[in-house]
Each structure stands twice: as C-alpha cells, then as structure tokens.
Amino acid sequence: MLYAGEKGFIRKDFLHHNFRISSHTNDDRVPMSFRHQLLSLLLATLPLVSLAGAEEWYRWRGPNLDGIADGGSWSGVFPDGGAKVLWRSSVGIGFSSFVTGKGLVITMGHVGDNSVVTAFDQKTGEAAWTFQFAAPLDDRDFEGGPTSTPTIDSDHVYVLSRMGEVFCLDLKSGELIWKVSLPDETGIRLPGWGCSAAPLVIGNKLLINLGEAGIAMQKSDGQLLWKSKDRECGYATPVPIPNSNPAAIVIASGKSYKAVEVESGEELWSIRWLTSFNCNAADPIIKDKKLFLSSGYNRGAGLFSIDTAEPETVWKNKEMKNQIHGSILFKGKLYGIDGDMETGASLRCMDFETGEIDWSEDDLRPGGIAMVGDDLIVLTEDGMLITAPATSEGWSPTSETKALEGKCWTAPVFSDQKIYCRTVHGEVVCIDCRE
C-alpha cells in the first residue's frame, strides 16, 4: 500500500520493515494507540519518495513548491560552444510552464480555437498525446492563451483552464476521466484575466484558486467538497502552511491573502493586500512561521509573522515587486524579478528577514527564473539562458547559451538533467545537461 504525503508516496511495508511497527505485534508493552500515533508521525515527517522518481517536477514550482531543483551531476555550466539542444517543438500561444512524470513533459498552449495540453516524450520530443478543449484566446492586454500549469498526481494530470474548467486526464494516454466547469457548478465569478493558478493536490483533495478563498474538489471524481464566497480570486497558486494542524493553505484573493483549513475551507486569518487590477499573482513564501508576500504595479513586498492568531507585520517596502513570478528563497535570501515586465524588470537579491536589497541587476531583462542546486537559472526576455551562483555577493554569470528566439516570460524547468524553456508564442526547447 502507498500512503500519499506532501512530497510523494511511501510504502507501508517499508515502514513496518524498517521500524518494526505493526498492528499485529504481540508486544503488549507498546499500546496500540501509541503505535498508531508513531506510524502517523513517521508518515508525516519522513522524507517521502516520489512514486515516479526523485527528479520529477510534477507540479508548479516543483516537488517542494520552492522553484528549486536538485541538480544531480550537472555542473551548472553550459559548454563553451553552447548548450546541447535535445529537441525542439511548438505548443501554441500561452504562458504555461512544464511538469514532468513517467518519462513525459507536459505543458499547454492555444492553437486555432482551442487550448491544447501536450505531453512530449522527454527523450525524443515526440508528442505522446494531446488533449484539446474549446477556449477563446482572450488576448486582452497581453498575448492570451493558457496561463495555468498542469499538475501531475500519480497516474492523473489535472488541468485548469482560464474559464475555470477543471479536467482530469489519464497521464499515460491523455484520455479525459472527468471534467467540471466551476463557474457553472458554483456560480463563482472568474477573475479579470481568467484562472491562472495551478491545481494543488493535498491528500484526496484538489484545491483550486477560485472565489475569495478557494475551492476544494474530490480529486477522484471532481465532486465539490467546499467553496468560498463569490468574490474575485487572485492568480497565485495555493501554498500549504508547513506543519499546520489542522492542515491549512495560504490562498490569494483579489484583495488579500488568506489562510484556510484544507478539510473544511474555514478561514483562519487574512492579510489585506491590495494590488492594482487585483493582480495578486506571485505565490506566497512561508519559512519558519513567516510569510513573504509580493506583487507588482508598485505594490511591493512584506514579511509577516504567522506564529500568532493574527499575522503581525515584520517589514514592508517597495524593493521587490513580483508582478507575475514568485521569488525564490535560498539560504535566507530572496531572488526575484522586480518591476514591470513590459517596461523592463530587474533581477534582485533581497534579505528575507530584513527586506534589505543586497544587489540589483537592472539591465538583464529577466523573463523567468529557477534554481538548480546552488545556481540561479535565468531565462531572459529575449531567450538567453544564463547560469550564476545564488549568492548575496552579486550577480556573476558563469555561462550562457541562446535557447530561444522570441518573447520568454515563463519560468524554465530542470528535470532529469534537462532544462525546458518556452516562448510566449509556444516555441519549446529541451536542453540536455548531461555531462
């Protein structure tokens, strides 16, 4: 039997074999209730082994929801002659990033009158399957197309359209298992630019950012479990609060970030966070009972203590304005894209505890960022892929390669010694990082 956990799955017989815990033991010196509590504690705290492999990037911002990948044997340096391109393809207009699982890499784009989910073979770039559904391009104020990233959970893929439709697909074949239109099912309005958050799986629940504080569905069949008030949601993906009891998430509305219980949807607390156009799009970052928030349009950032019944402000400033991309926290430093992407944003390093800026690179024009091991991976707006050590000492690139031609605003993904990048218009490249 496999038990689901926040980072994957672990076998029950593995636990019993290695820790000699069993409900059938004859050792009456250990009460049954204690054995059950201990087993539950182990399931909650042990590093869990992903069902599909430790390097798989099965959800938005990765297994740990932090934007950081394990680099394995990769040095973090591209060859002098340029990176080795394993394959290229095209998926249509959109901003969806990539997820990987069981030898497939999946993203979305808009082609013709449809949004299209495409699963590529990671090694060859051949399309293993596609799934399409009718959708408007909806290019008001930007290029349009899908803005959410799919989520892989075991043998299923969960997809959220900008129109609030949720699709459950078979990972191997792409066949539709179930579909629910949440606006039709719940009567909850869509945000101005449509749904953009990635679906989040916790246990048997699929959590969606729609309404004032989210929606929970049964992941097996799409049954609605709870919903929040009919108010405009934000664009950020829900984030679990570590070690919360009961289990809780932080979710962005158009006017605040709220903590809600996973089981019931009950609101625990709220931080009022007003951004122009209700564009709360950057995922919150939670570390050591502190919560970092950031948004663009001159709103800025703030750090809050969530160790009390009501959050308390630690600091606020305008030094990190994450318009669409969340920052990455590494060794006490935040690395993020500050400012308006259209007019030219900067790459910055900020101290998590104080909000002070360690350095700012103002001429780079970053389009998306990730981390691999100890290295920053920056995809510039014009398609350059640049690596540099993540350090508060300054921006000091170690290598770069031309990855794509065209506007790039999607975070690159590192998985199985490969880097996946895309343009807004859907050109995709897979770069081989094997030595």
Side-chain angles (χ1 to χ4, degrees), residues 58-99:
Y58 60 89
R59 59 184 178 182
W60 167 246
R61 284 174 67 90
N64 299 318
L65 297 169
D66 58 4
I68 303 175
D70 181 357
S73 62
W74 187 46
S75 66
V77 177
F78 299 119
D80 290 339
K84 177 184 176 182
V85 174
L86 194 58
W87 51 264
R88 294 182 184 271
S89 192
S90 183
V91 296
I93 295 171
F95 295 79
S96 177
S97 190
F98 303 89
V99 288

Side-chain angles (χ1 to χ4, degrees), residues 35-268:
R35 291 196 295 271
H36 287 168
Q37 291 173 12
L38 183 55
L39 178 57
S40 298
L41 179 62
L42 288 168
L43 289 170
T45 59
L46 279 174
L48 301 182
V49 180
S50 170
L51 182 63
E55 287 190 295
E56 289 184 348
W57 196 264
Y58 60 89
R59 59 184 178 182
W60 167 246
R61 284 174 67 90
N64 299 318
L65 297 169
D66 58 4
I68 303 175
D70 181 357
S73 62
W74 187 46
S75 66
V77 177
F78 299 119
D80 290 339
K84 177 184 176 182
V85 174
L86 194 58
W87 51 264
R88 294 182 184 271
S89 192
S90 183
V91 296
I93 295 171
F95 295 79
S96 177
S97 190
F98 303 89
V99 288
T100 67
K102 296 190 177 180
L104 300 176
V105 56
I106 302 172
T107 190
M108 292 198 289
H110 184 92
V111 180
D113 295 324
N114 297 310
S115 284
V116 182
V117 185
T118 303
F120 295 102
D121 183 291
Q122 284 185 272
K123 294 180 181 179
T124 67
E126 296 294 324
W129 55 259
T130 61
F131 175 82
Q132 58 185 353
F133 53 92
L137 178 62
D138 196 9
D139 56 349
R140 178 175 62 93
D141 299 327
F142 74 119
E143 290 82 356
T147 51
S148 175
T149 297
T151 297
I152 296 174
D153 178 65
S154 186
D155 294 323
H156 300 138
V157 182
Y158 296 98
V159 174
L160 176 63
S161 79
R162 287 180 63 194
M163 302 304 292
E165 301 158 305
V166 182
F167 302 86
C168 176
L169 310 178
D170 181 84
L171 174 59
K172 184 177 180 180
S173 66
E175 293 181 0
L176 178 66
I177 298 172
W178 57 258
K179 169 192 172 182
V180 174
S181 171
L182 288 176
D184 292 344
E185 183 77 12
T186 66
I188 295 176
R189 75 194 72 179
L190 293 170
W193 283 284
C195 296
S196 292
L200 175 67
V201 175
I202 297 181
N204 67 339
K205 292 179 176 61
L206 186 66
L207 300 162
I208 304 293
N209 190 354
L210 186 66
E212 186 179 38
I215 285 173
M217 311 170 74
Q218 185 82 23
K219 72 177 184 181
S220 60
D221 58 10
Q223 177 186 349
L224 185 67
L225 299 176
W226 54 258
K227 65 177 183 177
S228 56
K229 294 178 181 177
D230 176 24
R231 292 175 183 165
E232 188 169 345
C233 68
Y235 301 91
T237 296
V239 174
I241 300 176
N243 304 315
S244 56
N245 187 17
I249 58 172
V250 175
I251 196 161
S253 79
K255 299 182 183 301
S256 63
Y257 282 81
K258 297 179 180 293
V260 298
E261 288 188 9
V262 171
E263 187 62 31
S264 65
E266 179 182 350
E267 182 178 317
L268 301 175

